Amino acid sequence: TFRCQRHAAADMKRPPQIQERARVIIRNLIWVALLLVGCHLAFPRPRDPRHSPKAPKKIQPSGDVLIGYQWKENVTIPSHAESVDPEKLLQHMNGLPFSNQQNATALNIDEVHRKGLPHLGAWIFLSDNQQRIFLMKRSASMVTCPSTWSLMGEHNSALNDNQEELHPERTVFRGLEEELGSFLTNGSFIAEHYNLMPDKLPVFFTLDYGAKLQHRTDRQLTYFWFVQLSVSGETVNKELKRHGHQTDEVTRIKWLTVAQIEKLLKDRPLQFCHET
């Protein structure tokens, strides 16, 4: 989900066939998302006041815990890459409706994947004012996807104050703050942000990582979120340096056009992160 999320240290190197399958799945999803982004950049729509550039209030760090759900009785589990409505499919582990977030079950990421529980997250397509998309390179010390490029992404947070399942833009803004710093969301850098999908629903991503990893299964309902900046990527880079914002997970960042990303996906697919 587009920054590769942290898995527990128990996550070992994937077998080659699982790696290749995951690469193909992620690559296909990125192609679809890039097509959407390219259309939005080529044909910008009139500014809608409902898409507020202001950051949601009460954004808190996730603490690496998220809400794990279970499927409602008698529902058909969706297919991979299918647009889905979480309220129609999911309920809490205690049987309460999806919309009731006050008694949600907080679980760590590894437990959610071990149990194959459905959860929510977002892929963040961050564009500067020159229509370039933000990419970041993961540290070589990371357990998953070391030394690979990826889009920014974030799992949902289990903090009740965030209520990110009901307000996915809060997941997006928390991801922006954790990766780039609060200067990006507290100032005038963001011109607008909105859900890329026409139906405004998340897309279901699923992948079984195989027997060697005890069939850990990722089942994420993923929002595709577009964030338009009013400044250039170079300005963001300067602000990052000025504010001294650092993360151990990222070693480099770059800003590429959609065409450049498409070429990189085609020519050097192994340079991209292959798992969520």
Side-chain angles (χ1 to χ4, degrees):
T1 335
F2 306 58
R3 169 170 67 94
C4 300
Q5 303 298 340
R6 289 188 293 267
H7 290 207
D11 279 4
M12 300 170 288
K13 185 177 181 181
R14 269 88 171 128
Q17 66 272 23
I18 298 298
Q19 289 185 357
E20 180 56 28
R21 180 185 171 205
R23 289 189 188 103
V24 171
I25 290 173
I26 288 293
R27 198 154 62 239
N28 288 343
L29 275 181
I30 292 177
W31 279 113
V32 172
L34 285 175
L35 178 62
L36 287 170
V37 172
C39 289
H40 280 255
L41 291 175
F43 305 101
R45 63 186 187 181
R47 189 66 53 82
D48 189 335
R50 291 175 299 175
H51 303 296
S52 171
K54 296 181 180 179
K57 296 181 179 180
K58 294 185 177 180
I59 295 179
Q60 301 182 39
S62 68
D64 289 329
V65 293
L66 53 144
I67 299 175
Y69 295 92
Q70 61 185 4
W71 303 109
K72 288 184 177 180
E73 292 185 7
N74 301 320
V75 302
T76 300
I77 297 178
S79 302
H80 175 74
E82 181 180 344
S83 179
V84 293
D85 186 342
E87 292 202 36
K88 293 181 179 179
L89 296 176
L90 303 181
Q91 63 184 13
H92 288 286
M93 302 300 291
N94 55 14
L96 289 174
F98 172 82
S99 57
N100 188 327
Q101 300 292 319
Q102 296 304 312
N103 297 296
T105 303
L107 302 170
N108 65 50
I109 293 172
D110 184 58
E111 185 175 3
V112 168
H113 287 164
R114 283 179 179 275
K115 295 180 177 179
L117 299 177
H119 55 283
L120 279 81
W123 280 7
I124 305 168
F125 295 85
L126 180 65
S127 173
D128 73 353
N129 64 358
Q130 299 179 32
Q131 300 185 350
R132 296 176 299 177
I133 304 299
F134 175 86
L135 292 180
M136 56 191 191
K137 190 170 187 179
R138 290 171 60 81
S139 167
S141 63
M142 296 300 294
V143 175
T144 58
C145 298
S147 302
T148 58
W149 290 94
S150 73
L151 297 163
M152 189 186 304
E154 194 65 57
H155 279 124
N156 67 316
S157 168
L159 295 177
N160 285 333
D161 285 346
N162 283 0
Q163 290 200 339
E164 293 182 6
E165 285 63 40
L166 304 180
H167 305 280
E169 69 275 8
R170 297 181 183 178
T171 301
V172 172
F173 273 78
R174 179 170 54 78
L176 291 171
E177 290 191 359
E178 290 181 2
E179 297 298 347
L180 297 177
S182 59
F183 76 88
L184 191 72
T185 58
N186 291 338
S188 58
F189 287 83
I190 296 178
E192 64 175 341
H193 62 91
Y194 48 86
N195 191 330
L196 271 174
M197 299 303 291
D199 58 11
K200 308 305 179 188
L201 295 176
V203 172
F204 183 56
F205 171 87
T206 180
L207 179 65
D208 185 330
Y209 289 115
K212 289 188 177 181
L213 289 175
Q214 298 80 48
H215 288 285
R216 281 184 176 84
T217 304
D218 203 347
R219 294 190 173 103
Q220 178 166 294
L221 284 69
T222 306
Y223 288 95
F224 289 1
W225 212 269
F226 184 76
V227 179
Q228 178 64 61
L229 297 180
S230 59
V231 298
S232 69
E234 287 75 17
T235 297
V236 174
N237 296 347
K238 290 179 182 178
E239 290 297 311
L240 280 171
K241 185 175 181 180
R242 185 168 74 87
H243 288 273
H245 183 79
Q246 293 181 332
T247 171
D248 294 335
E249 296 183 5
V250 179
T251 58
R252 291 177 58 195
I253 63 174
K254 63 171 59 175
W255 300 84
L256 298 179
T257 65
V258 170
Q260 288 173 324
I261 297 176
E262 289 175 341
K263 188 175 188 306
L264 188 59
L265 278 167
K266 181 180 179 180
D267 296 344
R268 301 179 181 179
L270 298 186
Q271 288 193 7
F272 272 83
C273 179
H274 62 268
E275 55 195 334
T276 58

